[in-house]
Amino acid sequence: MIERAKPALAVDLCGIRLRTPLVLLSGCVGFGEEYTRVKGFSNRDAGAVCLKGTTLAPRPGNPPHRIYETAEGMLNAIGLQNPGVDRVVEEILPSLDFSETHFFANVSGSTVEEYFEVTRRFDNSPIDAIEINISCPNVKEGGVAFGNDPDMSARVVEACRRATDKPLITKLSPNQTDIAANARRCIEAGTDAFAVINTLMGMAIDVESRAPLIGNNQGGLSGPAIKPVALLKVHQVYQVCRDHAIPIIGQGGVCTAEDALEFLIAGASAVGVGTALFYDPLVCPKINAGILGYLERHGLASVQQITGSLRLNDDFGVACAC
Ligand SMILES: Cc1cc2nc3c(=O)[nH]c(=O)nc-3n(C[C@H](O)[C@H](O)[C@H](O)COP(=O)(O)O)c2cc1C
């Protein structure tokens, strides 16, 4: 009798072998050390850890309040607080244990030149891949202003491509009309992968003072509230990526194995976990176990077999919702 191959959690992400398909998301794990003090937490439960958004010069971030809990989610406007790329490369990276997992940088900037320079400095470091954050809604210049304009997105990706041979992951904004068109431009400009999606722009208001509850007035919405939007965006970007074998890190509200499986089925090769860590820092081993159980139940040997396996209902497509 032929023994069925043991299902494996490992996935390939543009040449990097991730032990599990889970990626801990930028801004939700500090610089890789945030949860390592929590008993039972291990970076080994994730295939990769994405560090906080990093700029050329240090940034103090936005005035308080920076976070506000909403129904099934949270608004944040941290404002890319970080110590600047040189300190990250010289002081933080040497303190990380690269035997535990892969570490990705997350690069931000106010100009195309800044994106180039920060990427160039990470190129001379042990970082495994570089995520380009053209979708941060919480800074006045750059960020989502670049990510919502396909021409600017392509210029940023081109500049980062010139700065490094390391894998480039472009993080797309959901706050734009045609995410698939933008993805196409970023592929032409040289991206190796996508992260889909960053937070959705939002606001919360104190009715007594009639002022926004977030110091920055607006913030980025994350958590389970955004999952349906994120799934559709992953599905749309996957239509473009499939023919180019460009992988997607699907993200937005993942809390359970079922959430992760939905993203894989929609077209993701790996799945990000962010806001869920604030509620349960030990959520990753549970998600890993759930994915393994699903593979076993469905007689599948690898996570890759799930990616893009969505069966659309005939005749309706995903075009009209009314
Ligand atoms: C507090 C906080 C800070 C974040 N900071 C960054 C950041 O620096 N760079 C970035 O690309 N995304 C950042 N994000 C977005 C997350 O990486 C992720 O894309 C988003 O929150 C959706 O996933 P989630 O719903 O699982 O959190 C941040 C999110 C939160 C909640």
Side-chain angles (χ1 to χ4, degrees), residues 237-265:
V237 174
Y238 181 66
Q239 306 312 307
V240 178
C241 288
R242 201 175 25 198
D243 296 340
H244 302 271
I246 301 267
I248 300 169
I249 307 172
Q251 58 201 268
V254 172
C255 300
T256 65
E258 197 160 71
D259 296 334
L261 287 161
E262 283 187 83
F263 276 95
L264 294 167
I265 292 167

Side-chain angles (χ1 to χ4, degrees), residues 183-243:
R184 217 169 279 121
R185 296 292 307 277
C186 292
I187 292 171
E188 286 161 11
T191 196
D192 298 298
F194 287 107
V196 182
I197 56 174
N198 208 323
T199 53
L200 283 151
M201 283 178 176
M203 185 183 260
I205 296 171
D206 178 341
V207 295
E208 295 306 323
S209 66
R210 303 188 188 187
L213 281 153
I214 290 280
N216 186 52
N217 293 326
Q218 66 179 51
L221 184 65
S222 64
I226 72 169
K227 193 185 76 172
V229 177
L231 283 170
L232 179 59
K233 301 290 175 192
V234 168
H235 169 70
Q236 290 170 338
V237 174
Y238 181 66
Q239 306 312 307
V240 178
C241 288
R242 201 175 25 198
D243 296 340

Side-chain angles (χ1 to χ4, degrees), residues 24-28 50-54 66-67 74-78 80-81 106-108 131-136 138 171 195-199 220-224 226-227 251-255 272-276 278:
L24 305 192
L25 294 177
S26 182
C28 302
C50 194
L51 307 181
K52 175 67 187 166
T54 302
R66 293 173 166 199
I67 56 170
M74 63 182 272
L75 280 170
N76 93 80
I78 307 298
L80 291 175
Q81 180 183 353
N106 181 273
V107 168
S108 259
E131 186 169 87
I132 314 170
N133 178 10
I134 47 168
S135 44
C136 179
N138 302 323
K171 187 157 180 176
V196 182
I197 56 174
N198 208 323
T199 53
L221 184 65
S222 64
I226 72 169
K227 193 185 76 172
Q251 58 201 268
V254 172
C255 300
V273 182
T275 301
F278 298 135

